[in-house]
Amino acid sequence: QAEPQTDAAGRPDRYDPQAIEQKWFDRWAQNPDLYKSDPSSSTRKKYYVLEMLPYPSGALHMGHVRNYAIGDALARYMWMQGYNVLHPMGWDSFGLPAENAAIANQTPPRDWTLGNIAKMKRQMNRLGFAYDWSKEVTTCLPEYYRWNQWFFLKFYERGLAYRKKSKVNWCPKCATVLANEQVLSSGCCWRHEDTLVEQRELEQWFLRITDYADELVTDLDKLQGWPEKVRTMQRNWIGRSEGALVDFKLDGAAGAAGDKITVFTTRIDTIYGATSLQLAPEHPIVTDLIANNPGLLAKVEDLMTQQRAAKESGDIGAIEKNGFFTECYAVNPFTNEQMPIWVANYILMDYGTGAIMSVPAHDERDYEFAKKYGLDIKVVIYPRREGDAADGDPNEPILPFVEDNSLLMNSGDYSGLPSGEAMTKMAKFAEEQGFGKATVTFRLKDWGISRQRYWGTPIPMIYCPECGIVPVPEKDLPVLLPENVQITLAGGSPLGNVPEFVNVECPKCGGEARRETDTMDTFVDSSWYFYRYTDPTLSDKALDSDTVGYWFPIDQYIGGVEHAILHLIYSRFWTKFMRDIGLVRNDEPVERLFTQGMVIKNGAKMSKSLGNVVSPDDMVARYGADSTRMYTLFGGPPDQDLDWQDAGVEGISRFLSRVYRFVTRNAKPDDPAWKAASNAPLSPAARKMQRKLHQTIKRITEDFSGRWHFNTSIAALMELVNEMYAYEDSQKAHPGKPGLAGAPLESVPLSLVAGAQRRLVLMLAPFAPYLSAELWEMLGETSDLLREGWPQYDPALTKEDEIEYAIQVNGKVRSRIVVAAEAGEEQVRIVALADEKVKAAIEGKEIVKVMVVKGRLVNIVVK
RNA sequence: GCGAAAGUGGCGGAAUUGGCAGACGCACCAGACUUAGGAUCUGGCGGGUAAAACCGUGGGGGUUCGAGUCCCCCCUUUCGCACCA
C-alpha cells in the first residue's frame, strides 16, 4: 500500500483507524472521569443503561461486543439527549471455570480471574465503550461478596433460608459433586467417560423463592417493557396452577400402612369420574403399600429407571406409560367408592403431591393408561350443544373429553352444574368436611444455593455440636475465602480441607465448631450487582437507599435471551426481598429489557470446536474498533441473530473512509464562509442533500426511541453520505467524471456543508466514537461531543417532493396516481397513472375534491 | 403435542400504518483514474426481453382499486415449554 498523502492542511487523505484510535485512546486514558455519571443529587433526568456483566473467561467474544455496542450506542445517545446517564460495568467473577483453570494450570483461581479481568477491561477500553469505571463491581472480592453473606443472614433471619436434603450429581471416581454441565449426555462424568454419575443426597441451603412465586407471576403483567417472549417463559417456569388437594383414605389392609393419600388436581369437578389413584414411583407411601408384596419392589425400581431415563433424554413427554396395581385401595371421599391404587411412571414426585386421581374419561394421559390396563372409564362431563336446554339431553362425548365449562353428569348433587361452579362448590365441601381444600401449586421450586466448590462466596454459617446451626454474627463479616487452597478433584468441598477455615469458635457458646464449607451459587452474585453499581465504595452497607431510589429501576437492561429465566427470576425475587426488608422502594429491578440475538457464523454458533470463532482483537487490529462494533449493529436487527461476515466489516470500514474523506476535504473552519449564515437559493442537489439530512436525523432519532433497528439507522447514515458525495459531484465542471479523490467544494454556500457535516458527525458519535471525535476536532469544534445536543430535524424538510395520490371515481377509490407537488402547493399535476382504464375515466374531467389520506395519499374526486 | 417468532435477489437484510418490493451493505459486471490495483470515483445488478410486455416476497385459496403486509388452509425453519395432574 502506498503511504497516505496529506492534503493542503496537512491532514492524511486516507482513513487510518489505527492512528486515529490510538490518538484518542491515549487522550481518553488521561481522563478517568470521562464517562462518570453525576451524583444522585443531580437535577437532571436520570437514565440507567445496563448490559449484563460478563464472566471473565479471559477474552471478549463477538457476542460481548455486540451486547456492549448496543448499550454503548444507547448510553451515548442518552448523554447527547441531556440525561444523567449511569453506564457501569463489572465482573461476574466467581464460578467453576476458575477452578478448572486452577487445576489445569496450577494457578490460583484468584490470580487467574483477576488477570482475565485486566485483559478484558483493556479490550473494552480499546473498543471505546463509555463506562463509568468508578462504579466497577467485581463479585469475587470481599468488598462485594460480604454483602452476599449479609443478605444470606437476612434471608435466614426471616426464615427464608433453610436446609434440606437434596440430590446432587456425584462421580464415584472423582469422589466429588459435579455441576450439571459436567455430566455428559450419556450420564457419565466429564473426566471419567466410563463412569456413571450417581445421585446422592446432601444437606443443602435453599432460599424460599416459592414464597414470592405468586407475586413473581402477577407482577409479570407490570413488565410492559419486557419482550412478551421472556414474560411467557417466566410464566411457564413459575407454572402457577390453581386446583385442589383431596385426601383419599386408605382402605382395608392398606389402612395400616398410613392413613391417606393426598392428590392434587386442577379438575376436582371430575372427581366422580375418578376410577383409580396413580402414584409416582418415588412416592414415599409406595414402599409401605407393597410391604407385604416384596415382588413388586423390582417393578417400582423399573418405573423409576424408565422415568429417569426419559427425563435425562429430555423426552419425558414421549415416555411409554407403564404401571402396576399395588393391590391396595383407597376411598373416594365424594363417592365412597373403592379405588385401586396404582404406581405409574408418568407421575412426577416433584410436581403437586406426587399422586393423582385418574379420570380416564376426561384426561388424555389417564385415558391412555386406562385403555392399556383395562381400567374403568366413567363419563361425568358431557358437551352441551348450542341451543340445548340446561337440563336437556347432552351429547355423548368422544373420549377423552377434556374441555370444561360443560354439563356435569353422574356427579351426585353436583350433576347439572357447569365445571367452574362445581369446582368451587366441591372444594368448599371438601374443606368443610376436612378432607381437602382449594390450593395453588407452582412448578417453581426453592432455589438451592449450596455449591460444593471453592471459588464462590462462603456461606456464613457455623455448625456447633452444642448449639446446632449458628449464623455468623454480622460484625464478623466477611467470612473470607482462604487463599492458597489446593484445588483437587478428590474429596468433597475444597474448603473442607482447610482446617484454619473450618475450625472455628461457636459464636454462641464459644465451644469448638465447624464452618459451613459450601459456597454460594454464582447466581446470587448476579441477582443484585446492579444495585451495588450505584455506589460500590460503601463499606458499611450494601447500598444506599436514596441513591438507589434515584437510579432505579434500571431504564434499560440488555443481554442474551439465555438469561431470560434463571438470572432474571432470581433478580426479581431478590429485589422483592430487598423491598420487604426496607432496603429499596421499587418492586421490580428492570423497567425495560432487551434481549439481543446471538452472533453466529455460517449458520452456526461460534465455537472453538467448529473453528468458526471470530476474535474481536483480530477485527480491531484489521479494521479498528469503530468498524468492528459498528458492524455488529449494521449486520442485522439487534434482536435477531447476526450471521458474521468479514466482508461486511470491510463494507463498514469503507463507509467510514468515505465519511473521513468527505469531512477532511471539506472542513474549512478557518474560512469566514464556514459559519456565516447564507440565504443563497439552494440548487436542486443542495435541496436534496438538505432533505436527506433531515430525513436521516428523523429516522435515527426514531430508531433510538425504541425500535432499535440500528441497521437501518446506519443505512440511513450511508444514504446521507452518498447524497453528500452526489452533491459534491454536482458541483464539478464535469459531474460523474471525477478525478482521483473528488474536488473540494468551491461554489456553494460553505455553511450548508458545514451544518450537514456537523450533524453527520453528531449522529455518528453513538456508533463510531473514535472517528467522530477525530472529525469533531477537524470541524474546529472544541466541545465534548457527548455533551453536545442531539441534532434536531425540521419536519417540513423531511417531506418528499413527490407525493402519492389515489383517485376516487363515483365515490370509490379506483387507482393510484403519482403527482408532483411541492409541499403545501395547491395545484397538482399528474405525472404518472398506473391504470389506463382509470386514466381514461378521469381524463378531461373536472377535479372536484382533493383529499389527503394518512398524510400521504390523496383521493381525487372528479365530476 | 402446545405456544411464540420467522420464511423476501447469489448473500446479510429494507419496506414503522394495506400504497413504487428489494433501501443500505456484501459479492459480481462495466467504465474512469492509474506503472499497478486487493485503493478511489461513476454506473449497472430479482427473473425475463433486442427493448417492452410479462412473472416475481415458502405453497394454495380469499378480501381489496391495490396485499410481503389483512383473513383461511398447508409446508418448512428457529426458539421456548412439555405426561405439570
Side-chain angles (χ1 to χ4, degrees), chain A residues 553-608:
Chain A
I554 295 160
D555 294 277
Q556 185 68 60
Y557 197 19
I558 306 159
V561 74
E562 65 272 18
H563 294 112
I565 297 183
L566 292 181
H567 163 57
L568 288 168
I569 284 190
Y570 293 148
S571 296
R572 296 180 57 222
F573 160 57
W574 210 276
T575 290
K576 290 177 190 305
F577 173 71
M578 287 164 80
R579 175 203 60 199
D580 288 351
I581 62 172
L583 226 48
V584 303
R585 298 188 277 269
N586 47 305
D587 290 326
E588 289 285 340
V590 176
E591 182 81 21
R592 299 216 307 160
L593 174 72
F594 185 88
T595 50
Q596 102 260 10
M598 286 191 306
V599 181
I600 59 177
K601 189 163 187 195
N602 305 328
K605 197 175 173 175
M606 284 188 186
S607 76
K608 278 178 197 152

Side-chain angles (χ1 to χ4, degrees), chain A residues 6 55 58 61 77 100 144 146 148 180 270 297 323 366 409 421 433 478 581 630 656 696 746 777 779 799 815 823 854:
Chain A
T6 52
Y55 176 80
H61 53 70
Y77 173 77
N100 293 335
Y144 184 79
R146 67 172 296 172
N148 284 346
N180 282 337
T270 64
L297 202 59
D366 295 346
M409 302 292 287
E421 203 179 327
Q433 301 293 312
I581 62 172
M630 206 160 167
L656 292 180
T696 305
E746 303 291 354
E777 192 180 61
L779 293 177
K799 297 215 175 83
S815 187
K854 293 179 185 177

Side-chain angles (χ1 to χ4, degrees), chain A residues 665 725 727-739 741-744 747:
Chain A
R665 271 206 297 274
Y725 268 70
Y727 173 56
E728 195 185 47
D729 199 38
S730 76
Q731 300 303 307
K732 287 175 203 142
H734 304 287
K737 297 278 177 194
S747 59

